[in-house]
Amino acid sequence: MELCKDLMVAAKAGDEDEAKRTIDEGVDMNYQNEFGQSAMMVASWEGHLGIVEALLNDGADPNLQDGVRFYVTGSELLIFFLWDNYML
């Protein structure tokens, strides 16, 4: 559980080294916090593309839904981020 929390903090902060450390140590990349958010969702929302890439390369599920607030998937959040930051 501690590794999961470490990954979530790293995803929010954009700390790629810490995120990769938790992945290397076997963290559950599909863990969802009390709000239903996964590290993929958090990293996508914050625009930390290096962490998103690392999670996807190691098998994180981009189709998890948060089910609490937005009912969106990590891949949808990534699309929203890219649209807002690169398409306008």
Side-chain angles (χ1 to χ4, degrees), residues 50-61:
I51 294 175
V52 171
E53 182 178 21
L55 289 166
L56 288 173
N57 287 340
D58 281 280
D61 184 354

Side-chain angles (χ1 to χ4, degrees), residues 8-69:
M8 295 296 280
V9 169
K12 174 80 174 158
D15 187 342
E16 289 185 39
D17 291 335
E18 179 67 4
K20 289 176 183 175
R21 179 194 67 81
T22 63
I23 292 168
D24 291 343
E25 290 186 23
V27 69
D28 176 5
M29 292 178 289
N30 295 317
Y31 164 81
Q32 291 177 276
N33 66 16
E34 64 272 18
F35 303 109
Q37 300 166 328
S38 68
M40 167 86 176
M41 292 175 190
V42 172
S44 296
W45 187 265
E46 296 294 332
H48 302 305
L49 303 181
I51 294 175
V52 171
E53 182 178 21
L55 289 166
L56 288 173
N57 287 340
D58 281 280
D61 184 354
N63 296 311
L64 291 176
Q65 292 186 353
D66 80 0
V68 175
R69 296 181 355 191

